[in-house]
């Protein structure tokens, strides 16, 4: 069949990485930030919360910076404890 050469090459390969054409797959995959930027509020409550957050300066960049700073203050044990608590 048409796939026999591909299967044979994959069987001979020491290591495979998927997808086999990773560069084109990465280019087509949108980032989380790109997806979040496309979201629109569905209800009036969503719109109100968004307005309050924007007024207070809570944008994605500021929140990410704040979270990184807070995580940097934690010890390894505290970070592990928080992670364990979230996984419950």
């Amino acid at each position: 069949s048409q796939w026999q050469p591909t299967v044979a090459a994959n069987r001979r390969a020491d290591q495979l990485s998927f997808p086999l054409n990773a560069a084109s797959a990465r280019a087509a995959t949108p980032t989380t930030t790109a997806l979040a930027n496309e979201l629109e509020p569905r209800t009036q409550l969503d719109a109100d919360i968004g307005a309050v957050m924007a007024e207070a300066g809570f944008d994605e960049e500021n929140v990410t910076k704040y979270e990184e700073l807070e995580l940097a203050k934690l010890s390894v044990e505290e970070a592990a404890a928080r992670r364990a608590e979230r996984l419950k």
Side-chain angles (χ1 to χ4, degrees):
S1 80
Q2 68 176 1
W3 297 106
Q4 284 178 336
T6 303
V7 171
N10 286 347
R11 287 182 179 161
R12 286 190 305 271
D14 290 334
Q15 182 177 9
L16 297 176
S17 61
F18 293 95
L20 295 175
N21 53 354
S24 64
R26 254 185 261 120
T29 305
T31 63
T32 304
T33 304
L35 291 173
N37 289 338
E38 294 175 6
L39 294 178
E40 295 293 327
R42 289 191 229 168
T43 65
Q44 185 59 42
L45 179 61
D46 288 343
D48 292 345
I49 291 172
V52 169
M53 289 178 70
E55 186 177 307
F58 280 96
D59 61 5
E60 197 65 35
E61 184 177 323
N62 288 338
V63 171
T64 302
K65 285 180 184 177
Y66 174 76
E67 289 173 348
E68 288 173 356
L69 288 172
E70 289 299 311
L71 283 175
K73 294 178 188 176
L74 295 178
S75 69
V76 174
E77 293 81 16
E78 289 172 325
R82 284 188 176 194
R83 183 175 185 275
E85 183 66 29
R86 282 190 302 235
L87 292 175
K88 287 184 181 179

